Amino acid sequence: MAHRTGIEVSLAIAEAARQAEVEVISAYPITPQTHIVERLAKMVADGDLEADFITVESEHTAMSAAVGASLAGARAFTATSSQGLALMDEIVYLASSLRTPVVMALANRSLSGPISIWNDHSDIMNVRDAGWISIFANNGQEAYDLTLMAYKIAEDHRVLLPVMISFDGFILTHMIEPVCVFDDEEIKGYLPPFNPPYKADPEHPVTFGPVGVPDIYTEAKKQQDFAIRSSISVIKEVFADFEKEFGRKYKPVESYMAEDADVILLSQGSVYETTEIAVDRLRKEGKKVGSAEVRLWRPFPFEDLRKAVANAKVVVVLDRAISFGGQPGPLLGEIRSALYPLEKKPGVIGVTAGLGGRDIMIQDYEKMFEYGYNYLKTGKEPEAVTIVGLRE
Amino acid sequence: MKLSEKPKWQELPLAASIVEPATSLEYKTGDWKTLKPVVDTTKCIRCATCYIFCPEAAYEENEEGYFLPNYDYCKGCGICAVECPAMCIQMVEEEAE
Ligand code: SF4
Ligand code: SF4
């Protein structure tokens, strides 16, 4: 039987990778992700995990080796953060276009500069269009569960795409949390053996990643986009099966007290759980508020989002990154464009907070709801970029 | 799927991979060239330098041991003409023939 234990979230993720029986781990240490691969290296060295741990000289190579391993038919795992992900970028795009079901644990950390090892979402936003399935975990249990589910989704022949699981650096990675960890026996067989349709095999030669001449490239990109768009049904299926088997429920869009809410605060990652506390407090004051989260970031869950916020008057979007000179938050832009086609739609306004590890306090969330109510009353949007918690 | 075909996106092999080996033979690079190499066999010393240097492996050896380019694959880069120690390869305009 599964046992509930206090475990550092990074180590729980390493445990999930072990139980997924990954065959190749290719990673480079970077704060705040390091504990994950450090633990995996130890498991391999101690003989607790039969896998090749490839020590590489950079994240660019970490991702290259993971993609190569996957093409060779191995279940591959990597993990990174921030600058590491930025350095991988070139191969991040290749992993998805080569349709390699690599799983990456991404401990979200802000991008330099100034140098910051602390948490925000600028790293993941940098790769949102890279063609990976991208899912947010909000606590240790979710990070553990989703790492296991990631392989189930990625390796499904209807999908064959890499999956990244995002979880907030330090806020989660370095926390000891109660996590229900499966016994090995219980989870054995959850993942069928990895059996890709093509692999690097001298008996059946295949050329991966040939030049896509102008006659081919367009069709290749359409094929790739079709794959990720259609993966949403497989993702939902995997979530539903997991719930049936193990009792924990995951949804592409999570929501709390949102059905009858006038103002919904929408966010991603661990802050979503804190928004629930703010909702409870404001509900006690009689305010009809709720919160929601876009857990599944790619493929974007258009229908689920529309359903979750359909009845609200205002959606306040909390961004953990800035789209400089743009939206101004990447999440805000996505939410606005997803709701735009609806005839009856809520107003959508945006705020930014929690950059580079800045704490977001309960009062800050209350302030965000206030922006929502203010918009309801006056129609006035917070100007770009409104950062809650900024000294000015 | 042959390389020369233009598949719909649904027909393209996964990730545009080439799933049959040796299909490069079907990919004729000959129509890239404007100049073509012409070997003067009266001066050729049959050293095979052209054969070794040609990036398209377009040179084929004939029965007499001379090396001649296969124009279906020769892309006209001119490397052979530069490398030939006997200087017996001329790059000439295709129409000029
Ligand atoms: S011109 Fe270039 S491609 Fe053509 S035969 Fe000479 S070396 Fe080969
Ligand atoms: S390099 Fe020149 S001399 Fe040598 S085989 Fe080719 S054509 Fe003849």
Side-chain angles (χ1 to χ4, degrees), chain A residues 205-239:
Chain A
V206 176
T207 303
F208 296 112
V211 173
V213 292
D215 271 345
I216 294 294
Y217 188 86
T218 304
E219 281 69 27
K221 290 293 110 177
K222 173 65 189 178
Q223 186 194 64
Q224 185 186 342
D225 183 66
F226 180 81
I228 190 163
R229 258 172 227 281
S230 356
S231 72
I232 194 159
S233 58
V234 178
I235 295 166
K236 286 181 179 175
E237 195 180 295
V238 170
F239 284 174

PDB file of all heavy atoms in Angstrom, chain A residues 205-239:
ATOM      1  N   PRO A 205      17.017   0.744 -40.433  1.00  0.00           N
ATOM      2  CA  PRO A 205      17.549   2.111 -40.401  1.00  0.00           C
ATOM      3  C   PRO A 205      16.467   3.175 -40.635  1.00  0.00           C
ATOM      4  O   PRO A 205      15.588   2.989 -41.487  1.00  0.00           O
ATOM      5  CB  PRO A 205      18.558   2.125 -41.554  1.00  0.00           C
ATOM      6  CG  PRO A 205      18.747   0.713 -41.956  1.00  0.00           C
ATOM      7  CD  PRO A 205      17.547  -0.048 -41.527  1.00  0.00           C
ATOM      8  N   VAL A 206      16.529   4.227 -39.839  1.00  0.00           N
ATOM      9  CA  VAL A 206      15.609   5.354 -39.966  1.00  0.00           C
ATOM     10  C   VAL A 206      16.451   6.621 -39.871  1.00  0.00           C
ATOM     11  O   VAL A 206      17.404   6.660 -39.103  1.00  0.00           O
ATOM     12  CB  VAL A 206      14.574   5.355 -38.815  1.00  0.00           C
ATOM     13  CG1 VAL A 206      13.678   6.578 -38.887  1.00  0.00           C
ATOM     14  CG2 VAL A 206      13.729   4.087 -38.839  1.00  0.00           C
ATOM     15  N   THR A 207      16.111   7.620 -40.677  1.00  0.00           N
ATOM     16  CA  THR A 207      16.780   8.916 -40.530  1.00  0.00           C
ATOM     17  C   THR A 207      15.869   9.824 -39.716  1.00  0.00           C
ATOM     18  O   THR A 207      14.760  10.135 -40.139  1.00  0.00           O
ATOM     19  CB  THR A 207      17.059   9.560 -41.903  1.00  0.00           C
ATOM     20  OG1 THR A 207      17.832   8.646 -42.674  1.00  0.00           O
ATOM     21  CG2 THR A 207      17.809  10.871 -41.743  1.00  0.00           C
ATOM     22  N   PHE A 208      16.338  10.231 -38.534  1.00  0.00           N
ATOM     23  CA  PHE A 208      15.581  11.176 -37.723  1.00  0.00           C
ATOM     24  C   PHE A 208      16.115  12.579 -37.986  1.00  0.00           C
ATOM     25  O   PHE A 208      17.318  12.775 -38.084  1.00  0.00           O
ATOM     26  CB  PHE A 208      15.744  10.866 -36.229  1.00  0.00           C
ATOM     27  CG  PHE A 208      15.187   9.541 -35.817  1.00  0.00           C
ATOM     28  CD1 PHE A 208      16.017   8.509 -35.409  1.00  0.00           C
ATOM     29  CD2 PHE A 208      13.810   9.325 -35.838  1.00  0.00           C
ATOM     30  CE1 PHE A 208      15.498   7.288 -35.023  1.00  0.00           C
ATOM     31  CE2 PHE A 208      13.284   8.100 -35.457  1.00  0.00           C
ATOM     32  CZ  PHE A 208      14.127   7.075 -35.044  1.00  0.00           C
ATOM     33  N   GLY A 209      15.220  13.512 -38.058  1.00  0.00           N
ATOM     34  CA  GLY A 209      15.633  14.904 -38.185  1.00  0.00           C
ATOM     35  C   GLY A 209      16.336  15.252 -39.473  1.00  0.00           C
ATOM     36  O   GLY A 209      17.328  15.967 -39.469  1.00  0.00           O
ATOM     37  N   PRO A 210      15.834  14.765 -40.617  1.00  0.00           N
ATOM     38  CA  PRO A 210      16.452  15.183 -41.881  1.00  0.00           C
ATOM     39  C   PRO A 210      16.075  16.638 -42.195  1.00  0.00           C
ATOM     40  O   PRO A 210      15.242  17.221 -41.513  1.00  0.00           O
ATOM     41  CB  PRO A 210      15.831  14.236 -42.907  1.00  0.00           C
ATOM     42  CG  PRO A 210      14.493  13.902 -42.342  1.00  0.00           C
ATOM     43  CD  PRO A 210      14.654  13.906 -40.843  1.00  0.00           C
ATOM     44  N   VAL A 211      16.702  17.168 -43.213  1.00  0.00           N
ATOM     45  CA  VAL A 211      16.344  18.516 -43.655  1.00  0.00           C
ATOM     46  C   VAL A 211      14.867  18.517 -44.056  1.00  0.00           C
ATOM     47  O   VAL A 211      14.409  17.600 -44.737  1.00  0.00           O
ATOM     48  CB  VAL A 211      17.205  18.918 -44.870  1.00  0.00           C
ATOM     49  CG1 VAL A 211      16.732  20.247 -45.459  1.00  0.00           C
ATOM     50  CG2 VAL A 211      18.671  19.004 -44.477  1.00  0.00           C
ATOM     51  N   GLY A 212      14.152  19.511 -43.612  1.00  0.00           N
ATOM     52  CA  GLY A 212      12.768  19.669 -44.056  1.00  0.00           C
ATOM     53  C   GLY A 212      12.753  20.732 -45.131  1.00  0.00           C
ATOM     54  O   GLY A 212      12.681  21.922 -44.843  1.00  0.00           O
ATOM     55  N   VAL A 213      12.862  20.294 -46.369  1.00  0.00           N
ATOM     56  CA  VAL A 213      12.878  21.251 -47.481  1.00  0.00           C
ATOM     57  C   VAL A 213      11.533  21.981 -47.516  1.00  0.00           C
ATOM     58  O   VAL A 213      10.567  21.537 -46.896  1.00  0.00           O
ATOM     59  CB  VAL A 213      13.163  20.529 -48.826  1.00  0.00           C
ATOM     60  CG1 VAL A 213      14.581  19.995 -48.852  1.00  0.00           C
ATOM     61  CG2 VAL A 213      12.162  19.407 -49.072  1.00  0.00           C
ATOM     62  N   PRO A 214      11.456  23.109 -48.229  1.00  0.00           N
ATOM     63  CA  PRO A 214      10.193  23.868 -48.243  1.00  0.00           C
ATOM     64  C   PRO A 214       8.973  23.025 -48.623  1.00  0.00           C
ATOM     65  O   PRO A 214       7.856  23.339 -48.230  1.00  0.00           O
ATOM     66  CB  PRO A 214      10.469  24.965 -49.278  1.00  0.00           C
ATOM     67  CG  PRO A 214      11.939  25.181 -49.182  1.00  0.00           C
ATOM     68  CD  PRO A 214      12.529  23.819 -48.937  1.00  0.00           C
ATOM     69  N   ASP A 215       9.191  21.941 -49.364  1.00  0.00           N
ATOM     70  CA  ASP A 215       8.074  21.060 -49.715  1.00  0.00           C
ATOM     71  C   ASP A 215       7.605  20.205 -48.547  1.00  0.00           C
ATOM     72  O   ASP A 215       6.544  19.589 -48.623  1.00  0.00           O
ATOM     73  CB  ASP A 215       8.497  20.114 -50.845  1.00  0.00           C
ATOM     74  CG  ASP A 215       8.228  20.741 -52.204  1.00  0.00           C
ATOM     75  OD1 ASP A 215       7.471  21.732 -52.240  1.00  0.00           O
ATOM     76  OD2 ASP A 215       8.784  20.248 -53.201  1.00  0.00           O
ATOM     77  N   ILE A 216       8.388  20.111 -47.473  1.00  0.00           N
ATOM     78  CA  ILE A 216       8.078  19.198 -46.371  1.00  0.00           C
ATOM     79  C   ILE A 216       7.809  19.930 -45.055  1.00  0.00           C
ATOM     80  O   ILE A 216       6.930  19.553 -44.281  1.00  0.00           O
ATOM     81  CB  ILE A 216       9.267  18.197 -46.158  1.00  0.00           C
ATOM     82  CG1 ILE A 216       9.423  17.273 -47.358  1.00  0.00           C
ATOM     83  CG2 ILE A 216       9.102  17.388 -44.874  1.00  0.00           C
ATOM     84  CD1 ILE A 216       8.264  16.314 -47.596  1.00  0.00           C
ATOM     85  N   TYR A 217       8.535  21.017 -44.802  1.00  0.00           N
ATOM     86  CA  TYR A 217       8.522  21.659 -43.484  1.00  0.00           C
ATOM     87  C   TYR A 217       7.104  22.034 -43.026  1.00  0.00           C
ATOM     88  O   TYR A 217       6.704  21.766 -41.897  1.00  0.00           O
ATOM     89  CB  TYR A 217       9.416  22.904 -43.512  1.00  0.00           C
ATOM     90  CG  TYR A 217       9.614  23.536 -42.156  1.00  0.00           C
ATOM     91  CD1 TYR A 217      10.616  23.086 -41.299  1.00  0.00           C
ATOM     92  CD2 TYR A 217       8.790  24.575 -41.713  1.00  0.00           C
ATOM     93  CE1 TYR A 217      10.799  23.659 -40.051  1.00  0.00           C
ATOM     94  CE2 TYR A 217       8.965  25.151 -40.465  1.00  0.00           C
ATOM     95  CZ  TYR A 217       9.976  24.690 -39.636  1.00  0.00           C
ATOM     96  OH  TYR A 217      10.153  25.251 -38.400  1.00  0.00           O
ATOM     97  N   THR A 218       6.331  22.616 -43.921  1.00  0.00           N
ATOM     98  CA  THR A 218       4.987  23.066 -43.567  1.00  0.00           C
ATOM     99  C   THR A 218       4.134  21.904 -43.081  1.00  0.00           C
ATOM    100  O   THR A 218       3.456  21.997 -42.048  1.00  0.00           O
ATOM    101  CB  THR A 218       4.313  23.726 -44.792  1.00  0.00           C
ATOM    102  OG1 THR A 218       5.163  24.774 -45.230  1.00  0.00           O
ATOM    103  CG2 THR A 218       2.947  24.287 -44.456  1.00  0.00           C
ATOM    104  N   GLU A 219       4.171  20.799 -43.817  1.00  0.00           N
ATOM    105  CA  GLU A 219       3.368  19.626 -43.448  1.00  0.00           C
ATOM    106  C   GLU A 219       3.870  19.044 -42.124  1.00  0.00           C
ATOM    107  O   GLU A 219       3.077  18.581 -41.295  1.00  0.00           O
ATOM    108  CB  GLU A 219       3.417  18.567 -44.551  1.00  0.00           C
ATOM    109  CG  GLU A 219       2.502  18.855 -45.735  1.00  0.00           C
ATOM    110  CD  GLU A 219       2.950  20.053 -46.557  1.00  0.00           C
ATOM    111  OE1 GLU A 219       4.147  20.365 -46.576  1.00  0.00           O
ATOM    112  OE2 GLU A 219       2.074  20.702 -47.172  1.00  0.00           O
ATOM    113  N   ALA A 220       5.200  19.088 -41.909  1.00  0.00           N
ATOM    114  CA  ALA A 220       5.758  18.566 -40.659  1.00  0.00           C
ATOM    115  C   ALA A 220       5.252  19.384 -39.462  1.00  0.00           C
ATOM    116  O   ALA A 220       4.921  18.840 -38.407  1.00  0.00           O
ATOM    117  CB  ALA A 220       7.286  18.591 -40.718  1.00  0.00           C
ATOM    118  N   LYS A 221       5.173  20.703 -39.642  1.00  0.00           N
ATOM    119  CA  LYS A 221       4.720  21.559 -38.539  1.00  0.00           C
ATOM    120  C   LYS A 221       3.228  21.351 -38.255  1.00  0.00           C
ATOM    121  O   LYS A 221       2.797  21.349 -37.113  1.00  0.00           O
ATOM    122  CB  LYS A 221       4.996  23.031 -38.869  1.00  0.00           C
ATOM    123  CG  LYS A 221       6.460  23.393 -38.857  1.00  0.00           C
ATOM    124  CD  LYS A 221       7.070  23.311 -37.467  1.00  0.00           C
ATOM    125  CE  LYS A 221       8.031  22.178 -37.324  1.00  0.00           C
ATOM    126  NZ  LYS A 221       8.699  22.119 -36.015  1.00  0.00           N
ATOM    127  N   LYS A 222       2.453  21.169 -39.310  1.00  0.00           N
ATOM    128  CA  LYS A 222       1.019  20.919 -39.124  1.00  0.00           C
ATOM    129  C   LYS A 222       0.825  19.598 -38.357  1.00  0.00           C
ATOM    130  O   LYS A 222       0.022  19.517 -37.429  1.00  0.00           O
ATOM    131  CB  LYS A 222       0.313  20.853 -40.484  1.00  0.00           C
ATOM    132  CG  LYS A 222      -1.139  20.429 -40.434  1.00  0.00           C
ATOM    133  CD  LYS A 222      -2.028  21.429 -39.704  1.00  0.00           C
ATOM    134  CE  LYS A 222      -3.421  20.859 -39.475  1.00  0.00           C
ATOM    135  NZ  LYS A 222      -4.285  21.786 -38.738  1.00  0.00           N
ATOM    136  N   GLN A 223       1.608  18.602 -38.748  1.00  0.00           N
ATOM    137  CA  GLN A 223       1.521  17.295 -38.083  1.00  0.00           C
ATOM    138  C   GLN A 223       1.841  17.431 -36.592  1.00  0.00           C
ATOM    139  O   GLN A 223       1.165  16.867 -35.736  1.00  0.00           O
ATOM    140  CB  GLN A 223       2.517  16.344 -38.750  1.00  0.00           C
ATOM    141  CG  GLN A 223       2.436  14.922 -38.278  1.00  0.00           C
ATOM    142  CD  GLN A 223       3.657  14.126 -38.731  1.00  0.00           C
ATOM    143  OE1 GLN A 223       4.779  14.411 -38.333  1.00  0.00           O
ATOM    144  NE2 GLN A 223       3.425  13.144 -39.584  1.00  0.00           N
ATOM    145  N   GLN A 224       2.860  18.234 -36.283  1.00  0.00           N
ATOM    146  CA  GLN A 224       3.279  18.420 -34.898  1.00  0.00           C
ATOM    147  C   GLN A 224       2.198  19.145 -34.089  1.00  0.00           C
ATOM    148  O   GLN A 224       1.872  18.763 -32.964  1.00  0.00           O
ATOM    149  CB  GLN A 224       4.588  19.218 -34.883  1.00  0.00           C
ATOM    150  CG  GLN A 224       5.189  19.366 -33.512  1.00  0.00           C
ATOM    151  CD  GLN A 224       6.400  20.292 -33.528  1.00  0.00           C
ATOM    152  OE1 GLN A 224       6.983  20.566 -34.579  1.00  0.00           O
ATOM    153  NE2 GLN A 224       6.772  20.783 -32.368  1.00  0.00           N
ATOM    154  N   ASP A 225       1.645  20.192 -34.683  1.00  0.00           N
ATOM    155  CA  ASP A 225       0.619  20.939 -33.949  1.00  0.00           C
ATOM    156  C   ASP A 225      -0.627  20.089 -33.747  1.00  0.00           C
ATOM    157  O   ASP A 225      -1.256  20.126 -32.689  1.00  0.00           O
ATOM    158  CB  ASP A 225       0.252  22.231 -34.679  1.00  0.00           C
ATOM    159  CG  ASP A 225      -0.761  23.019 -33.870  1.00  0.00           C
ATOM    160  OD1 ASP A 225      -0.390  23.473 -32.770  1.00  0.00           O
ATOM    161  OD2 ASP A 225      -1.929  23.135 -34.296  1.00  0.00           O
ATOM    162  N   PHE A 226      -0.967  19.308 -34.763  1.00  0.00           N
ATOM    163  CA  PHE A 226      -2.133  18.423 -34.629  1.00  0.00           C
ATOM    164  C   PHE A 226      -1.919  17.459 -33.459  1.00  0.00           C
ATOM    165  O   PHE A 226      -2.826  17.211 -32.672  1.00  0.00           O
ATOM    166  CB  PHE A 226      -2.352  17.647 -35.931  1.00  0.00           C
ATOM    167  CG  PHE A 226      -3.533  16.716 -35.877  1.00  0.00           C
ATOM    168  CD1 PHE A 226      -4.826  17.195 -36.071  1.00  0.00           C
ATOM    169  CD2 PHE A 226      -3.352  15.366 -35.610  1.00  0.00           C
ATOM    170  CE1 PHE A 226      -5.912  16.334 -36.004  1.00  0.00           C
ATOM    171  CE2 PHE A 226      -4.444  14.501 -35.537  1.00  0.00           C
ATOM    172  CZ  PHE A 226      -5.724  14.992 -35.733  1.00  0.00           C
ATOM    173  N   ALA A 227      -0.696  16.945 -33.348  1.00  0.00           N
ATOM    174  CA  ALA A 227      -0.400  15.975 -32.287  1.00  0.00           C
ATOM    175  C   ALA A 227      -0.598  16.592 -30.909  1.00  0.00           C
ATOM    176  O   ALA A 227      -1.236  16.003 -30.032  1.00  0.00           O
ATOM    177  CB  ALA A 227       1.031  15.456 -32.440  1.00  0.00           C
ATOM    178  N   ILE A 228      -0.089  17.782 -30.700  1.00  0.00           N
ATOM    179  CA  ILE A 228      -0.199  18.360 -29.358  1.00  0.00           C
ATOM    180  C   ILE A 228      -1.633  18.806 -29.076  1.00  0.00           C
ATOM    181  O   ILE A 228      -2.154  18.634 -27.977  1.00  0.00           O
ATOM    182  CB  ILE A 228       0.839  19.480 -29.104  1.00  0.00           C
ATOM    183  CG1 ILE A 228       0.829  19.868 -27.615  1.00  0.00           C
ATOM    184  CG2 ILE A 228       0.644  20.681 -29.978  1.00  0.00           C
ATOM    185  CD1 ILE A 228       2.025  20.643 -27.152  1.00  0.00           C
ATOM    186  N   ARG A 229      -2.301  19.343 -30.080  1.00  0.00           N
ATOM    187  CA  ARG A 229      -3.699  19.738 -29.865  1.00  0.00           C
ATOM    188  C   ARG A 229      -4.572  18.527 -29.508  1.00  0.00           C
ATOM    189  O   ARG A 229      -5.413  18.592 -28.637  1.00  0.00           O
ATOM    190  CB  ARG A 229      -4.263  20.405 -31.118  1.00  0.00           C
ATOM    191  CG  ARG A 229      -4.311  21.889 -31.005  1.00  0.00           C
ATOM    192  CD  ARG A 229      -4.680  22.581 -32.287  1.00  0.00           C
ATOM    193  NE  ARG A 229      -3.740  23.663 -32.487  1.00  0.00           N
ATOM    194  CZ  ARG A 229      -3.818  24.828 -31.861  1.00  0.00           C
ATOM    195  NH1 ARG A 229      -4.819  25.090 -31.052  1.00  0.00           N
ATOM    196  NH2 ARG A 229      -2.904  25.752 -32.054  1.00  0.00           N
ATOM    197  N   SER A 230      -4.360  17.424 -30.231  1.00  0.00           N
ATOM    198  CA  SER A 230      -5.219  16.262 -29.952  1.00  0.00           C
ATOM    199  C   SER A 230      -4.818  15.544 -28.675  1.00  0.00           C
ATOM    200  O   SER A 230      -5.575  14.708 -28.188  1.00  0.00           O
ATOM    201  CB  SER A 230      -5.245  15.262 -31.103  1.00  0.00           C
ATOM    202  OG  SER A 230      -4.530  15.686 -32.191  1.00  0.00           O
ATOM    203  N   SER A 231      -3.642  15.849 -28.135  1.00  0.00           N
ATOM    204  CA  SER A 231      -3.206  15.135 -26.933  1.00  0.00           C
ATOM    205  C   SER A 231      -4.092  15.437 -25.732  1.00  0.00           C
ATOM    206  O   SER A 231      -4.075  14.720 -24.740  1.00  0.00           O
ATOM    207  CB  SER A 231      -1.750  15.475 -26.609  1.00  0.00           C
ATOM    208  OG  SER A 231      -1.645  16.790 -26.109  1.00  0.00           O
ATOM    209  N   ILE A 232      -4.897  16.495 -25.823  1.00  0.00           N
ATOM    210  CA  ILE A 232      -5.700  16.872 -24.647  1.00  0.00           C
ATOM    211  C   ILE A 232      -6.655  15.748 -24.239  1.00  0.00           C
ATOM    212  O   ILE A 232      -6.882  15.524 -23.044  1.00  0.00           O
ATOM    213  CB  ILE A 232      -6.443  18.218 -24.862  1.00  0.00           C
ATOM    214  CG1 ILE A 232      -6.976  18.729 -23.520  1.00  0.00           C
ATOM    215  CG2 ILE A 232      -7.543  18.123 -25.893  1.00  0.00           C
ATOM    216  CD1 ILE A 232      -7.273  20.206 -23.479  1.00  0.00           C
ATOM    217  N   SER A 233      -7.157  15.001 -25.213  1.00  0.00           N
ATOM    218  CA  SER A 233      -8.082  13.921 -24.842  1.00  0.00           C
ATOM    219  C   SER A 233      -7.326  12.793 -24.126  1.00  0.00           C
ATOM    220  O   SER A 233      -7.849  12.178 -23.196  1.00  0.00           O
ATOM    221  CB  SER A 233      -8.830  13.391 -26.070  1.00  0.00           C
ATOM    222  OG  SER A 233      -7.906  12.934 -27.009  1.00  0.00           O
ATOM    223  N   VAL A 234      -6.100  12.536 -24.548  1.00  0.00           N
ATOM    224  CA  VAL A 234      -5.294  11.504 -23.867  1.00  0.00           C
ATOM    225  C   VAL A 234      -4.937  11.980 -22.450  1.00  0.00           C
ATOM    226  O   VAL A 234      -4.987  11.203 -21.495  1.00  0.00           O
ATOM    227  CB  VAL A 234      -4.018  11.184 -24.675  1.00  0.00           C
ATOM    228  CG1 VAL A 234      -3.165  10.162 -23.946  1.00  0.00           C
ATOM    229  CG2 VAL A 234      -4.379  10.691 -26.073  1.00  0.00           C
ATOM    230  N   ILE A 235      -4.605  13.243 -22.328  1.00  0.00           N
ATOM    231  CA  ILE A 235      -4.264  13.799 -21.008  1.00  0.00           C
ATOM    232  C   ILE A 235      -5.451  13.629 -20.054  1.00  0.00           C
ATOM    233  O   ILE A 235      -5.306  13.168 -18.923  1.00  0.00           O
ATOM    234  CB  ILE A 235      -3.852  15.285 -21.138  1.00  0.00           C
ATOM    235  CG1 ILE A 235      -2.567  15.400 -21.957  1.00  0.00           C
ATOM    236  CG2 ILE A 235      -3.688  15.939 -19.771  1.00  0.00           C
ATOM    237  CD1 ILE A 235      -2.233  16.801 -22.435  1.00  0.00           C
ATOM    238  N   LYS A 236      -6.635  13.965 -20.548  1.00  0.00           N
ATOM    239  CA  LYS A 236      -7.837  13.828 -19.711  1.00  0.00           C
ATOM    240  C   LYS A 236      -8.097  12.368 -19.349  1.00  0.00           C
ATOM    241  O   LYS A 236      -8.518  12.050 -18.243  1.00  0.00           O
ATOM    242  CB  LYS A 236      -9.051  14.428 -20.419  1.00  0.00           C
ATOM    243  CG  LYS A 236      -9.036  15.946 -20.431  1.00  0.00           C
ATOM    244  CD  LYS A 236     -10.280  16.483 -21.119  1.00  0.00           C
ATOM    245  CE  LYS A 236     -10.268  18.014 -21.108  1.00  0.00           C
ATOM    246  NZ  LYS A 236     -11.399  18.560 -21.873  1.00  0.00           N
ATOM    247  N   GLU A 237      -7.843  11.514 -20.306  1.00  0.00           N
ATOM    248  CA  GLU A 237      -8.016  10.079 -20.084  1.00  0.00           C
ATOM    249  C   GLU A 237      -7.051   9.596 -18.988  1.00  0.00           C
ATOM    250  O   GLU A 237      -7.445   8.853 -18.080  1.00  0.00           O
ATOM    251  CB  GLU A 237      -7.699   9.390 -21.411  1.00  0.00           C
ATOM    252  CG  GLU A 237      -8.112   7.963 -21.567  1.00  0.00           C
ATOM    253  CD  GLU A 237      -7.684   7.482 -22.965  1.00  0.00           C
ATOM    254  OE1 GLU A 237      -8.212   8.014 -23.963  1.00  0.00           O
ATOM    255  OE2 GLU A 237      -6.811   6.604 -23.053  1.00  0.00           O
ATOM    256  N   VAL A 238      -5.789  10.024 -19.079  1.00  0.00           N
ATOM    257  CA  VAL A 238      -4.785   9.612 -18.087  1.00  0.00           C
ATOM    258  C   VAL A 238      -5.159  10.166 -16.703  1.00  0.00           C
ATOM    259  O   VAL A 238      -5.066   9.458 -15.695  1.00  0.00           O
ATOM    260  CB  VAL A 238      -3.362  10.064 -18.522  1.00  0.00           C
ATOM    261  CG1 VAL A 238      -2.355   9.875 -17.391  1.00  0.00           C
ATOM    262  CG2 VAL A 238      -2.922   9.289 -19.761  1.00  0.00           C
ATOM    263  N   PHE A 239      -5.618  11.418 -16.660  1.00  0.00           N
ATOM    264  CA  PHE A 239      -6.067  12.003 -15.389  1.00  0.00           C
ATOM    265  C   PHE A 239      -7.224  11.171 -14.806  1.00  0.00           C
ATOM    266  O   PHE A 239      -7.250  10.853 -13.619  1.00  0.00           O
ATOM    267  CB  PHE A 239      -6.540  13.448 -15.580  1.00  0.00           C
ATOM    268  CG  PHE A 239      -5.434  14.464 -15.750  1.00  0.00           C
ATOM    269  CD1 PHE A 239      -5.726  15.794 -16.062  1.00  0.00           C
ATOM    270  CD2 PHE A 239      -4.095  14.121 -15.594  1.00  0.00           C
ATOM    271  CE1 PHE A 239      -4.716  16.752 -16.199  1.00  0.00           C
ATOM    272  CE2 PHE A 239      -3.068  15.063 -15.744  1.00  0.00           C
ATOM    273  CZ  PHE A 239      -3.394  16.381 -16.051  1.00  0.00           C
TER     274      PHE A 239
END
